[in-house]
Each structure stands twice: as C-alpha cells, then as structure tokens.
Amino acid sequence: MDVSDEFDGGMEPTDDLASFEVVNLSNPGLLDLSADDDGHVQETKDKAKLKTKLISAWNNVRYRGWSLKSKPRLSKSSPVCLLGQFYQLSYSGERESFRRAFSSLLWMTYRKGFPPLDGSGLTSDAGWGCMLRSAQMLLAQGLMLHMMPAGWTWPATHHQTKDDLEVLDAHMLDDSFRESRSDSGKPRRRSLGTTLDSETHEEQIHRRIVSWFGDLPSAPFSLHRLVELGKASGKRAGDWYGPAIAAHILQKAVAASEVSDLAVYVAQDCTVYVGDVLNLCGTSRTNLLAKCWSGWKSLVLLVPVRLGSDVLNPAYIRCVKRLLELRCCVGIIGGKPKHSLFFVGFQDDQLIYLDPHYCQTAVDAQLDNFPLTSFHCKTVRKMPFNRMDPSCTVGFYAGSRADFQTLCSDVTKALTSSEEKYPIFTFVEGRNDEERTYFTCLVLSTLSSLIHVKKTAILACQGELGCFVCPKHVGGWDEFGEQVAKQISMDVFGVTLMIADSEALGQARGADVTL
C-alpha cells in the first residue's frame, strides 16, 4: 500500500509523526544495545532477529500491507482529528498528546501460528482476515470507552522522549542540545519494562480487554469466534467479509459474551429505530429521562452504509469528517475494495487509519503477563478520502441513556449539515416491526427491477440477523442473478438474501408478500 503521499509544495514544513518508538530493552522484539561479553552469542541473536524481520517484511509486502516506501507525513499547519479530539501539531504539548492518544488505540492485525480455525486447518488469517481485524478494532475502541476512565492513555506511551519521536525541526534545536547528542555517540533512549511491578487496576482492565481478542477459540472476540459466528451468514474461514456482515457478527459476539452491561445495535436499511434501541438497552421511552435506571445497558451503535456506487461520492466527504469529529464516534470499518482499514481520524483531505495488513506472530493471551506491545501501533498512516471504498460501517458509543439522547442529536446534526440533500442514515421513532411490510415490498421492487424478475415471492423471516428468503424456481435466478441480488441486498439494505427451494419456503415462518 502506498502511504507516502506528499503534500503540496506550498504548505509549511511537515513533521514525520510515524517515527516514534517505545523502547523496551526487556522485550526480545527490540534490539538490546547493552554490552555483551560474548560477541558470538550477540551475533547469533542479531542474525536470528534479522531473519525474523525479513520474513515478516516479505509477508507484509506479499499481502499488500505495509509499504517499504518513505513514511507518511502530517502537517503542523493543520489540526488533526482523532476520534472526536483535535490536536494542533505546531505545539509540542499537543504533539505529545496526539502520540499518546494514537498509540493507546488497540491495534489488531494479521496473525500467524494460532490454533487452527475450526473446519479449515488455517493457522493464519493473512490475506483474508483484514475486515474481521478492523471489526475487532472498532469493538475494542468501544470496550475501552466502556470500561476505561475517560482520557486514559497507555502508560507505556508516557515514557517516550523527544529522541524517540524524532519530530523536531533542525532549526529548533539549540547548539547545546545538538552538542550533547553528538558527544553521546548514539541517540538517547529510555528503557521501559514489559510490565510494572504491580499493575494498576486500569492496566489490569486494559490487559483483560486485549485478552478477549486473543487468537484462541475460547476468547469471546477472537478471530476463531468471529469466524464461527460468520457461518450463519454463509461465511467461512478464508472468505471475504463485508462491513455489514462484520457488524452483525460483532452484535452476536457481544450478546454471547460475558460483557452483560453492553449491547450492540446494527441499523437496518440505513435507519436507527430509537424504539428498538431503547428496548435493547433495557428501558422504554417513558423513562428515557429518568435519573436512575439500573437495567440500562451501554450501547455500541453500528450503521452499515454505502456512500456512492462504485466510488466514494465526494459530497459525502464532509459528512464523514463531521462524524469522525464526534466524541461518540468509535471509528469506521472501511478501506479499499477487498482491503479493509480502520479509520480513526483525518487531517485536511487525508484519512488517518490503523492498518491490519501486518502479519505478526500470535500472542498467547492466556499468560498472566503476555506482552502488549504488538497490540498498539506506533505508526501513523493516511490515505486520501477519494480512495475510500463507499461500503463501510460507522460505529458510535453511548454509555448511558443521556449519552444516547445526545448521540442522536449530535449525529443527526452532523448528517444534516452535509452538502448531500439526503442523509446517509436517519434516526426514527418507533420500532422496525411497524415498517417491515413496506420495507419488504421496497426490497422486492428494487431487486426485481435490477435482475428483471417480473414476479417474485419473498418471505420476511424473523431472526437475529434478519433475512429475506426468495423461492428459487421463479424466473431470472441464474447463478449470476443470485450473486448480484445477494450483493445488492447486503450492501444496500444490510439484509441477507437467501435463495431457497419451494419446500424450504413452505417450512419457514412469516408472511408471504407477492408483487
């Protein structure tokens, strides 16, 4: 992936914010610069590390992941937005705050060497699992907001020095500072232990959240678990997962997990039904404003949308920016076609993202003090808005009933402030059941016109995902027609379309709607 985009020559000098590094001499993944009495042993270690890095680099280039080109650069003249918080990089304190916030985000990437995925024998998701990894990052951000104190940052980021960050312009360094560096013979670096002698309560929660995403069948949000849940949507290990299907998988994963005070709602037909959300979170409209309600669950709201046909409609760019500016936004699952990324912010006309296309060795998250370094990214990456795939899922978090009310107001304002005449999604009162019949007819009409089916019978089935079942015997359902219809149904409406035989239809529950 080309991430070495250059800014126009007329812009002010830029700082490279991709160069910072947390140095940990006790971490075997980083080079130990301490003296070694046995030169041969040190040489053997260096060769082994070099071999590992070369293999990792080849895997990352092979799967169109991280580029070996120059690092992306962020301008000091424009503010950077990171999940609702703005940072002015021309000030050193703001730069430091941005680094801490960015490197505290949880980073999920390709892994290798984990237990085989059930039914496939695959021990790596390199080349196909990027959408599920992006979905993990979105859910992880929601869990961090749900369980960690507001404004929390990973303590490991607090030990960085200006030498590690390498962002100061040469003319800003005074002579004494340059002399002190030249006399030392090598850059100053501060050592950082793998764990503190006694982890704080916050760090224990942080480690617990990360462990839920470990690559083990028993972890509630692991790749193994998500793949298993994806089977209900006809997906299996090695398949491509779209952003809408990924959203529904997250919904089922949270519902089956130990996180009982959190619920996930997935919008249908680009519509958030407030009544359904209130019912899901354990309260009704009448006590929405009540001061105390012990049964309320916090909410992760996922909205699958399509921002254009084949490419992103430029009219939606401002709307995407406004959504990322909201404090309640937990990111966007998107990317490029067949190449998922997790968008967390922007600067000017460049999206900032976390990239899952980096193959790392699986970490045993069952260990008491498993290393956390590989779950945090130290590299800021960006891409132009016009390269964003139009199919994506936007995520939001509301910790309380009042937060949800604020979310509805703020998101609606952001959506209606766009240049686009019609918002990309809406909030409506009531419940989805009230409009199910009309929606079914709408889907039928659209699909019929697109695949030239004159008469189609369809069955609206109730289920956790919700699906439409169409009889296979009607005219026009050749192999290509089925694929097109299924893709349109999922991408446009966020609903699974199942093609079934007449006998299967007779056994299904629901009401027939015939056009």
Side-chain angles (χ1 to χ4, degrees), residues 454-465:
K454 295 181 179 180
K455 183 178 180 182
T456 302
I458 201 167
L459 196 65
C461 299
Q462 301 287 346
E464 290 187 3
L465 287 181

Side-chain angles (χ1 to χ4, degrees), residues 137-323:
M137 286 188 271
L138 186 148
L139 178 59
Q141 177 61 18
L143 287 169
M144 294 295 281
L145 292 178
H146 181 59
M147 302 179 67
M148 300 295 288
W152 174 90
T153 54
W154 188 30
T157 66
H158 302 180
H159 294 265
Q160 296 165 353
T161 64
K162 291 182 179 179
D163 300 271
D164 295 325
L165 303 176
E166 300 175 1
V167 296
L168 296 179
D169 292 331
H171 68 273
M172 297 175 62
L173 300 175
D174 58 31
D175 293 337
S176 60
F177 182 77
R178 286 196 292 269
E179 289 175 2
S180 66
R181 288 203 60 172
S182 60
D183 292 342
S184 67
K186 60 182 179 181
R188 292 183 293 111
R189 288 182 167 183
R190 183 174 297 180
S191 175
L192 177 67
T194 303
T195 59
L196 301 177
D197 293 337
S198 178
E199 283 190 333
T200 64
H201 178 63
E202 293 176 2
E203 276 307 288
Q204 291 174 0
I205 297 176
H206 171 212
R207 185 177 296 277
R208 182 184 182 190
I209 293 175
V210 173
S211 71
W212 286 341
F213 295 90
D215 294 303
L216 297 166
S218 59
F221 311 124
S222 66
L223 183 76
H224 297 70
R225 181 61 177 156
L226 301 187
V227 168
E228 181 66 26
L229 293 172
K231 292 180 180 179
S233 301
K235 295 295 183 179
R236 60 182 181 180
D239 288 348
W240 168 255
Y241 295 73
I245 290 180
H248 287 293
I249 291 175
L250 291 183
Q251 182 184 44
K252 299 181 73 173
V254 171
S257 74
E258 62 186 89
V259 189
S260 59
D261 58 346
L262 180 69
V264 175
Y265 176 88
V266 181
Q268 295 286 346
D269 187 28
C270 299
T271 303
V272 178
Y273 292 91
V274 175
D276 286 341
V277 173
L278 298 181
N279 182 64
L280 176 67
C281 294
T283 186
S284 63
R285 189 181 310 169
T286 56
N287 40 25
L288 176 63
L289 299 178
K291 295 183 178 180
C292 297
W293 183 260
S294 59
W296 175 265
K297 293 183 179 181
S298 297
L299 172 72
V300 170
L301 172 63
L302 302 178
V303 187
V305 296
R306 191 167 186 88
L307 308 178
S309 54
D310 296 329
V311 296
L312 178 71
N313 186 335
Y316 289 123
I317 292 179
R318 182 54 189 152
C319 182
V320 173
K321 287 184 176 182
R322 287 183 178 274
L323 293 177

Side-chain angles (χ1 to χ4, degrees), residues 356-391:
H357 300 87
Y358 184 68
C359 193
Q360 304 186 88
T361 302
V363 173
D364 187 355
Q366 291 181 319
L367 299 177
D368 290 338
N369 292 317
F370 64 89
L372 294 168
T373 305
S374 66
F375 294 96
H376 291 274
C377 185
K378 298 173 290 185
T379 304
V380 179
R381 293 188 173 271
K382 62 182 178 64
M383 63 171 267
F385 270 94
N386 58 20
R387 292 172 59 188
M388 178 182 178
D389 190 276
S391 181

Side-chain angles (χ1 to χ4, degrees), residues 62-83:
R62 176 185 178 188
Y63 295 114
R64 300 183 301 146
W66 285 26
S67 169
L68 297 179
K69 296 183 180 181
S70 59
K71 298 171 184 176
R73 304 172 70 85
L74 298 177
S75 171
K76 291 196 303 180
S77 62
S78 301
V80 175
C81 175
L82 183 67
L83 294 178

Side-chain angles (χ1 to χ4, degrees), residues 62 85 100 117 127 192 237-238 247 258 307 310 375 409 413 431 435 466 476 506:
R62 176 185 178 188
Q85 181 67 46
R100 292 186 180 185
L117 293 166
L192 177 67
E258 62 186 89
L307 308 178
D310 296 329
F375 294 96
S409 175
K413 182 178 179 181
R431 302 182 60 179
E435 299 185 19

